[in-house]
Amino acid sequence: MALSIIAIILVIVIAFLAGMEGILDQFQFHQPLVACSLIGLVTGNLEAGVVLGGSLQMIALGWANIGAAVAPDAALAAVASSIILVLGGQGVAGVSTAIAVAIPLAVAGLFLTMIVRTIAVPLVHMMDAAAKEGNIRKIEWLQILGICLQGLRIAFPAAALLFIPAETVKETLNAMPEWLTTGMAIGGGMVVAVGYAMVINMMANREVWPFFIIGFVVAAISQLTLIALGALGIALALIYLSLSERGNSSNGGDKGDPLDDILNDY
């Protein structure tokens, strides 16, 4: 799918914002669900973008920086895989391939992150010197420059991908043998499941397991729409809050969890 100049510019802007948000963490442009959806919107592939973003978001939920260990770059994975999906012209059918491509891209993004952070070290020393001089304005501009470097970290690879002819991407994707595309689809699905399992591992306790079970069972009912599932989730949350308030009042103000008490009886 050939993109117009306006669409290319908008995608690069989204990529730039995603790179900055990876550090700022204010408006969440770096989250796959947001980045992929926006790129899908500006390129006329909103449905495919949302599906890809949702799938990658499930993977990225299990990514976190722990100490000196840096998590894979979700922003680069989201932006680059979205561009490949759009240029491939396969729509929702190409999501599984895009997911499989996103994982190595996320790991490769760590190398770019290392380069940008190395470049940013002299900026810190320059800000220290400016602080000694009392030059607040210079400190502000150096701070902005450092953040912009993070944006360029994603914008440059995005621009490079956008200038690859769409036909080349299509031919490459179509040339993949069936066993490879099938394997990538299976692998992509497994990665999503593993990412979500990592999140459940961090959150799961006796209080929330019933809600996980109810959610998965109800989600299997195909007649229910996402709006219905959301309404059911809100209803369950309100029921839980109501039970918690009653439990607190019956215990003389002590904090208690009635659901936990029920589970303890088993």
Side-chain angles (χ1 to χ4, degrees), residues 52-101:
L52 175 61
S55 300
L56 291 179
Q57 190 68 57
M58 297 298 289
I59 301 172
L61 285 174
W63 292 348
N65 296 334
I66 302 175
V70 181
D73 193 343
L76 181 61
V79 171
S81 60
S82 297
I83 294 173
I84 292 172
L85 177 64
V86 170
L87 294 179
Q90 296 178 337
V92 178
V95 168
S96 57
T97 303
I99 292 174
V101 172

Side-chain angles (χ1 to χ4, degrees), residues 209-228:
W209 268 119
F211 295 99
F212 278 124
I213 295 170
I214 292 172
F216 281 115
V217 171
V218 173
I221 303 174
S222 58
Q223 288 82 1
L224 291 178
T225 63
L226 288 177
I227 296 176

